[in-house]
Amino acid sequence: MRRYLLRRLVLLAPVLWGVATLVFAVTNIIPGDPVDLMLGETARPAQREVLRKALGLDRPLGVQYADYLAGLVRGDLGTSLHKKRPVARLIAERISASAELTFAALAIAIAIALPLGILAARRAGTGVDLAAGALAVLGASIPVFWLGPLLIIFFSIDLGWLPVSGRSSALSLVLPAFTLGTALSAILMRMTRSSILDVLPQDYLATARAKGLSDRRVLWLHALRNACLPLITILSLQLGALLSGAIITETVFAWPGVGRLTIQAIAARDYPLVQGCVLFIAMVYVAGNLLADIAYAWLDPRVRLD
């Protein structure tokens, strides 16, 4: 197991370099000049040149790229052009809010998807299966930017049960978490159903039943564990997708997370802050894939033996 983990960590190095390079390239392709945004259209050319030199934007792109990589090695993401504060600190202040929203949405998705997926697999071809499938299609089809305002209108404005926006209390988490978790629950439910149906005819489950185990014990302890590998793949990929998808959700609900910070940085053409936010989201994807590899090796010894 140790050799397997070491090999996976070594393979992360070129992935991280590629992610950092792609983030730098994309953020520098974004149209617009941060100097013009900071000084306005009435600024004189001499003022623009002074600010451009102070920000280091007058240097060749290759030099900026080298400094960017050197800063990443030191853990320095640079300084925000507009907020005049270290990017790493700005992101760190928002991580707790984004993590809270992401894991709450993940918990909601799992709580909805696993029981419905297992029930649909056990009742395959019946009305229960068809109803679960219809719910999955509906959940996957509803866009976040439409569902969020709809929930705000109904539960916050009409009924007055929940806060409209912000992060003032625990109740503020309910609407954004449900909005973000709905699409994931639809995907996860269909994958759970498919995976359970694949393992149910296997001989080892018949052997478990022959030993006197109840259907519930066979399903939850044997079938579900062997059906988990595809589910782990979906969850590891969706962990980053939840964080990036939270960009829209956090904007709709004014949730003070990394997603909303990313939108603000893009609008202000704050290159260092955009790079830091996008790099953070990309790192979450990479970390999710690493956790999935570890879970594979723990659940199925054949993975680490290969």
Side-chain angles (χ1 to χ4, degrees), residues 12 69 120 226 263 292:
L12 281 181
L69 292 182
N226 287 277
I263 291 295

Side-chain angles (χ1 to χ4, degrees), residues 109-294:
I110 292 175
I112 295 174
L114 283 185
L116 284 180
I118 293 173
L119 182 62
R122 294 188 65 181
R123 305 287 182 84
T126 65
V128 174
D129 185 21
L130 294 177
L135 286 176
V137 172
L138 182 64
S141 303
I142 298 177
V144 170
F145 60 82
W146 181 84
L147 179 60
L150 184 66
L151 294 177
I152 289 175
I153 292 172
F154 185 71
F155 288 102
S156 299
I157 298 177
D158 291 345
L159 298 179
W161 291 353
L162 299 169
V164 175
S165 61
R167 194 191 177 200
S168 57
S169 65
L171 291 177
S172 303
L173 182 63
V174 176
L175 291 183
F178 184 80
T179 301
L180 195 57
T182 300
L184 176 59
S185 66
I187 299 171
L188 191 59
M189 192 272 285
R190 299 307 296 173
M191 182 60 70
T192 301
R193 176 189 179 277
S194 176
S195 300
I196 293 293
L197 286 177
D198 287 340
V199 301
L200 282 179
Q202 299 298 321
D203 293 338
Y204 61 84
L205 294 184
T207 302
R209 293 189 187 94
K211 290 181 178 180
L213 296 180
S214 64
D215 286 342
R216 178 176 298 181
R217 192 175 180 85
V218 169
L219 181 64
W220 287 95
L221 292 184
H222 296 276
L224 185 58
R225 177 169 181 172
N226 287 277
C228 271
L229 291 183
L231 302 182
I232 290 173
T233 302
I234 293 296
L235 287 175
S236 65
L237 294 175
Q238 291 300 316
L239 182 62
L242 281 175
L243 191 59
S244 58
I247 292 176
I248 300 175
T249 305
E250 289 179 3
T251 302
V252 170
F253 291 95
W255 187 262
V258 178
R260 192 175 180 215
L261 182 64
T262 305
I263 291 295
Q264 293 170 346
I266 292 174
R269 301 298 189 271
D270 193 337
Y271 291 159
L273 189 53
V274 172
Q275 290 172 353
C277 292
V278 175
L279 185 62
F280 172 75
I281 294 173
M283 295 301 297
V284 172
Y285 270 101
V286 174
N289 289 331
L290 178 61
L291 291 176
D293 290 338
I294 295 173

